[in-house]
Amino acid sequence: MRALQRLIQGKVLLLTICAAGIGGTFQFGYNLSIINAPTLHIQDFTNETWWARTGRPLPDHLVLLVWSLIVSLYPLGGLFGALLAGPLAIKLGRKKSLLVNNVFVVAAAILFGFSRRAGSFEMIMLGRLLVGVSAGVSMNVQPMYLGESAPKELRGAVAMTSAIFAALGVVMGQVVGLRELLGGPQAWPLLLASCLVPGLLQLASLPLLPESPRYLLIDCGDTEACLAALQRLRGPADVAGELAELEQERAACRDRRARRPWELFRERALRRQVASLVVLGSAMELCGNDTVRPDPRPGGGPGGGREPAPQPPSARPLQVYAYASGVFREAGIPEEKVQYAIIGTGSCELLTAFVSCVVIERLGRRVLLMGGYCLMTCWGSVFTVALYLQSSIPWMPYLAMSCIFAFILSFGIGPAGVTGILATELFDQTARPAAYMVSGALMWTMLFLVGLGFPFIMEGLSHFIYVPFLGVCVCGAIYTGFFLPETKGKTFLEISEELHRLNFPRKSPGPTWRDPEVILSTEL
């Protein structure tokens, strides 16, 4: 609670969090969820466009192929954006990278808004690729920017706001995509183009706020700009001690260029950091949360009583929500009310993201991660039993529905937010951009593979679909408990020294810091 009070007192830091988040991870969650509502309308538009061009309807399997491409281009763009984020963060800085990133959003919004008038479903495909690139950049640069701008006692809480804005984007996308708002057959171009609004908000607000002090001092060698940024971010607080810590960190990075992504895997001094990044990043994507969240399209789509054609595995949305939607219907929720129940699932994750932001500096990273994975294992086990018995015991669908909410709450407590700040805290200034490139590429690849493979797993395992995911949750909890160091309240140099001891247990306790010297370049 004290951390939250300090965050509110630092008005400029709070404004920085909001400005970075509204055009950052908010866009990721928003564009992830809004695509579900206009599924049938976009498929109809694709068929009508082809008819106008050729005089013949497009076969159903080709309509589904086009829809599959529209959906799949988002994670593909995210992968490109993740690989682009590192060089951008080094060349332009953290703040300018977020600002330049909005070029993709503006271009995508124009393509979405005029696609129906131009009679081109190809414009939708290109727009989805561009918003994916934007999401890939912001998902990496935003936590890097916020983690480097926050004081050590607030670093976890500030970095956790990335998860808050992502969950907020999901909820807002679910709300805006309701049939009563922009989810109708005529408004879907506006729904897709509405991503322009948060982009414009960031363009209007973020230029007024400071750059990352660490980037200004360590990468640019500008002590005066770093001091000015610290004074703005900290308000009336004395920044002399923090500036001295930054000078020590700069001395530790002297004569070292920025790492390339593949170099992280070859250097023994980064062995524990890379292993934690890969293992826990994979666990977050493979733990089953993306498959338990329901599809917000009643009956599979927003087209009233019309039933959509069955979709092949590659044509399903990024997160395969249909399983939980069926559970809601089995529990007796009316078809037209399922979309409102689904907003509740997004609200659960948003609530737990807020709670984690408040308690992370009190409980620490390891407790939240282990607790989250242990609770997910518990609720996933109950969910499996409920699915198996739901046809024989009348009240089992209600238990299964409760497990969905409990599972999402448990995910939001730890893995959803804590995993995203590992690259900030476990890597130093020269390795951090490359670490985010690795984690971003891993995240988007896993998202694509889960969306592609889940329907086959669901068909093969039926009611025992969650058994593999439970194994992942157990492995995530075990790895966190035995191998992940606690970083709560520590400076980046203290974290580096502890990781050095873990990577070289029989050698000296850590590197010797030398006198500060300006680094002229950290070229990737």
Side-chain angles (χ1 to χ4, degrees):
M1 214 51 169
R2 186 180 305 169
L4 185 60
Q5 291 174 352
R6 282 202 57 189
L7 185 61
I8 294 174
Q9 290 171 357
K11 296 179 181 178
V12 175
L13 180 59
L14 186 60
L15 291 174
T16 301
I17 292 169
C18 295
I22 193 64
T25 51
F26 178 90
Q27 289 276 35
F28 164 73
Y30 188 76
N31 287 292
L32 189 67
S33 61
I34 62 171
I35 192 61
N36 292 302
T39 297
L40 284 181
H41 306 320
I42 293 176
Q43 291 179 355
D44 288 342
F45 169 70
T46 301
N47 198 24
E48 292 167 2
T49 301
W50 191 262
W51 186 291
R53 291 178 184 176
T54 65
R56 300 189 307 272
L58 191 63
D60 286 345
H61 69 281
L62 293 181
V63 172
L64 294 176
L65 176 62
V66 172
W67 173 246
S68 172
L69 291 173
I70 290 173
V71 171
S72 301
L73 283 172
Y74 186 69
L76 180 62
L79 178 60
F80 290 154
L83 299 177
L84 183 63
L88 276 179
I90 292 172
K91 296 294 184 183
L92 301 180
R94 285 39 166 167
K95 186 180 80 169
K96 288 183 180 178
S97 296
L98 289 173
L99 292 172
V100 170
N101 188 41
N102 286 290
V103 171
F104 301 112
V105 175
V106 173
I110 293 173
L111 290 170
F112 289 144
F114 291 98
S115 58
R116 184 165 61 183
R117 179 171 296 183
S120 172
F121 55 82
E122 295 86 354
M123 294 172 67
I124 301 176
M125 298 168 64
L126 180 58
R128 288 292 290 176
L129 179 68
L130 292 178
V131 293
V133 173
S134 173
V137 172
S138 62
M139 286 287 287
N140 288 355
V141 177
Q142 180 187 335
M144 194 189 316
Y145 174 46
L146 296 180
E148 292 179 2
S149 300
K152 64 180 180 181
E153 60 272 15
L154 292 178
R155 190 174 59 237
V158 170
M160 280 288 291
T161 59
S162 297
I164 292 177
F165 278 97
L168 180 62
V170 170
V171 174
M172 289 300 299
Q174 291 170 342
V175 171
V176 175
L178 291 173
R179 290 188 300 271
E180 295 82 356
L181 296 177
L182 295 181
Q186 301 301 319
W188 63 264
L190 291 178
L191 174 63
L192 297 181
S194 61
C195 63
L196 179 64
V197 176
L200 292 178
L201 289 175
Q202 185 177 76
L203 286 173
S205 57
L206 193 57
L208 307 176
L209 299 165
E211 175 60 273
S212 158
R214 275 182 172 76
Y215 175 79
L216 293 172
L217 182 64
I218 300 175
D219 290 64
C220 301
D222 193 338
T223 305
E224 293 183 0
C226 172
L227 180 59
L230 280 175
Q231 289 173 338
R232 288 194 64 196
L233 288 167
R234 306 294 180 261
D238 183 18
V239 298
E242 188 171 356
L243 183 61
E245 290 177 0
L246 290 179
E247 291 285 3
Q248 282 187 320
E249 192 175 341
R250 178 171 68 161
C253 296
R254 191 180 72 178
D255 298 331
R256 287 161 51 187
R257 59 171 175 79
R259 306 292 211 292
R260 296 174 175 87
W262 55 88
E263 293 176 343
L264 302 184
F265 296 90
R266 297 198 304 233
E267 191 166 340
R268 187 182 174 187
L270 299 175
R271 181 176 53 188
R272 180 67 64 97
Q273 296 93 307
V274 172
S276 300
L277 195 69
V278 172
V279 171
L280 295 177
S282 300
M284 184 184 71
E285 298 302 332
L286 300 177
C287 66
N289 181 73
D290 291 346
T291 63
V292 79
R293 289 193 243 173
D295 184 349
R297 295 169 292 146
R306 175 184 168 186
E307 290 294 327
Q311 296 188 21
S314 61
R316 294 177 183 270
L318 269 179
Q319 295 169 310
V320 192
Y321 300 144
Y323 213 82
S325 297
V327 172
F328 286 158
R329 297 183 185 99
E330 287 286 338
I333 296 179
E335 190 71 32
E336 66 276 6
K337 302 295 183 183
V338 170
Q339 59 178 346
Y340 302 107
I342 289 160
I343 295 176
T345 62
S347 301
C348 285
E349 192 167 332
L350 178 60
L351 173 63
T352 50
F354 270 111
V355 173
S356 297
C357 181
V358 173
V359 303
I360 187 172
E361 296 299 346
R362 179 184 295 271
L363 299 179
R365 285 64 160 157
R366 296 173 75 249
V367 171
L368 290 180
L369 272 177
M370 285 191 296
Y373 280 124
C374 289
L375 288 173
M376 290 168 70
T377 303
C378 172
W379 294 117
S381 302
V382 177
F383 185 57
T384 300
V385 174
L387 288 177
Y388 182 72
L389 298 176
Q390 68 178 355
S391 59
S392 56
I393 301 178
W395 51 269
M396 275 298 168
Y398 300 98
L399 178 61
M401 184 175 65
S402 302
C403 287
I404 289 173
F405 287 96
F407 194 92
I408 293 173
L409 286 168
S410 303
F411 177 76
I413 286 174
V418 178
T419 309
I421 67 177
L422 293 179
T424 298
E425 297 194 325
L426 298 182
F427 294 84
D428 63 21
Q429 191 78 9
T430 60
R432 193 171 296 128
Y436 268 105
M437 292 171 67
V438 171
S439 66
L442 181 69
M443 184 198 80
W444 289 102
T445 302
M446 290 293 181
L447 270 177
F448 178 78
L449 293 178
V450 169
L452 186 66
F454 178 75
F456 299 104
I457 299 174
M458 184 170 64
E459 183 177 350
L461 297 181
S462 185
H463 298 313
F464 299 99
I465 177 64
Y466 262 78
V467 173
F469 301 124
L470 297 181
V472 172
C473 292
V474 171
C475 291
I478 292 174
Y479 184 89
T480 301
F482 284 98
F483 299 105
L484 183 69
E486 181 56 74
T487 57
K488 179 185 71 172
K490 298 177 182 177
T491 66
F492 284 117
L493 285 181
E494 291 170 341
I495 296 171
S496 296
E497 289 175 353
E498 181 176 355
L499 288 167
H500 183 85
R501 288 192 296 269
L502 293 172
N503 287 319
F504 301 97
R506 298 181 181 178
K507 294 189 177 182
S508 60
T512 301
W513 312 123
R514 293 171 285 187
D515 292 334
E517 180 175 315
V518 173
I519 295 177
L520 299 179
S521 173
T522 55
E523 184 177 2
L524 184 64

